[in-house]
Amino acid sequence: MACIAAILSGCSTMEPAPPPPPPMVFPPPPAEARFVFERSLRYSTNVQAEESTAEKFKRFALGKPAKLKGIVKPYDVAAKHGKVFITDTVQSSILVFDINNSNYFEFGRDEPGALRKPTGIAISNQNEVFVSDVANKAIMVYSLEGQFLRAIGGSKILQKPTDVAIDSDNDRLYVVDTGGIDSQQHGVHVFKVSSGDYIGMIGERGSEPGQFNLPLQAAVAPDGTLYVVDSGNFRVQAFHPDGSYKLSIGSLGRYPGQFARPKGIATDNDGNIYVVDSAFGNFQIFNDKGELLLFIGERSQAGKPAAYMLPAGINVDENNRIYIADQFFRKVDIYHPATTSTK
């Protein structure tokens, strides 16, 4: 009664809202910030407009549950023009968070072009979405809106296609074939992006330069250099556009610049390389000479910003925004360069 009397009398007991926390920047002060944590994507409501009070009441009156959709087990991520495409291995589909248009949709569940176990994903300069499907043993190609266009590869060529990378300038489609313990087919298949014609294979099983042991993911730099996560050899290998060996980054270890469980990889507009390490719970950034520039993230039991338990895929878009997927916390974290805004 006292509170009601106070409100009716014009006196407010409400305290002002606390100021928002300062942004998370990397590296932390006093070093100059290079990246800023922007947001996490988990559910459709992260991009869709919130229901109005009238819509909520109508749904409640009709006994309809809220249409909440979202991430279950993300593997890889690709982003372009504000659209974030996420492969979900449990839901056997592609989840799309269209940030600029406040929209969310999914594709890949229906025939033709139904996915079974999508893993890697990449987007070409022609705005086609390429998805590696381990169970289908093929690369499935879609439009940005999710219309199935064609399939590339097949079981006669591909054994365990876990990732895909695109060099549109050189008409090269790279497909990482992880092989298996009893297989010698550990390497990268090369197709033509335009036609899907098979060109050949880079690498074979082994530990020498140019050889692979359980390769997982790949990325192409602006100069055409192909970078491949060679997980069983605890390194990243780089190749020239003609497929010849260029250099190797990292080694087995627990210190910055080394790897314990390397997985996802991406490149930015400047040719820097971003490598996810599932054991460290972070991603490390190297220059094109293999020198460590920075690492972001930490291993944690809590799914807070910049904390990871099972980080997997990573992508850097045309504006050098970073997107990293975590399978355990069912999220994609986004970072923007410190020199840009969140818009």
Side-chain angles (χ1 to χ4, degrees), residues 224-294:
T225 300
L226 170 69
Y227 293 94
V228 184
V229 175
D230 186 11
S231 68
N233 289 319
F234 307 97
R235 64 188 179 185
V236 169
Q237 295 198 76
F239 298 84
H240 296 285
D242 64 2
S244 60
Y245 174 79
K246 186 174 183 179
L247 58 86
S248 181
I249 299 172
S251 60
L252 174 62
R254 57 188 180 91
Y255 296 103
Q258 296 181 313
F259 301 121
R261 194 181 173 191
K263 199 166 188 179
I265 189 168
T267 59
D268 66 17
N269 296 335
D270 300 316
N272 298 316
I273 306 104
Y274 299 64
V275 185
V276 173
D277 197 298
S278 291
F280 297 159
N282 68 11
F283 60 92
Q284 302 183 81
I285 307 174
F286 302 84
N287 64 19
D288 59 4
K289 298 179 179 60
E291 299 167 334
L292 180 66
L293 304 177
L294 176 67

Side-chain angles (χ1 to χ4, degrees), residues 27 94 106 132 309:
I94 308 302
E106 304 174 358
S132 60
M309 178 62 74

Side-chain angles (χ1 to χ4, degrees), residues 76-77 120-123 162-168 172-176 188 202 212 215-230 236-241 246 249 263-268 271-276 313-316:
D76 200 9
V77 57
I121 188 169
I123 303 172
T162 52
D163 197 26
V164 59
I166 299 171
D167 181 357
S168 294
R172 292 292 184 266
L173 172 67
Y174 298 106
V175 180
V176 178
V188 180
I202 298 173
F212 298 102
L216 285 181
Q217 297 193 40
V220 178
D223 66 355
T225 300
L226 170 69
Y227 293 94
V228 184
V229 175
D230 186 11
V236 169
Q237 295 198 76
F239 298 84
H240 296 285
K246 186 174 183 179
I249 299 172
K263 199 166 188 179
I265 189 168
T267 59
D268 66 17
N272 298 316
I273 306 104
Y274 299 64
V275 185
V276 173
I314 191 169
N315 183 242
V316 181

Side-chain angles (χ1 to χ4, degrees), residues 106-182:
E106 304 174 358
F107 66 84
R109 286 197 177 97
D110 302 323
E111 294 289 1
L115 296 165
R116 294 171 60 194
K117 190 175 182 180
T119 49
I121 188 169
I123 303 172
S124 72
N125 287 350
Q126 290 70 40
N127 291 327
E128 292 182 334
V129 183
F130 291 71
V131 181
S132 60
D133 191 309
V134 172
N136 280 331
K137 299 183 185 297
I139 306 303
M140 315 293 277
V141 188
Y142 306 84
S143 69
L144 290 178
E145 294 72 35
Q147 178 186 3
F148 176 68
L149 302 175
R150 61 190 181 277
I152 297 173
S155 59
K156 291 183 179 180
I157 300 175
L158 305 176
Q159 186 174 95
K160 193 176 181 180
T162 52
D163 197 26
V164 59
I166 299 171
D167 181 357
S168 294
D169 292 339
N170 293 303
D171 197 24
R172 292 292 184 266
L173 172 67
Y174 298 106
V175 180
V176 178
D177 201 324
T178 301
I181 296 176
D182 299 324

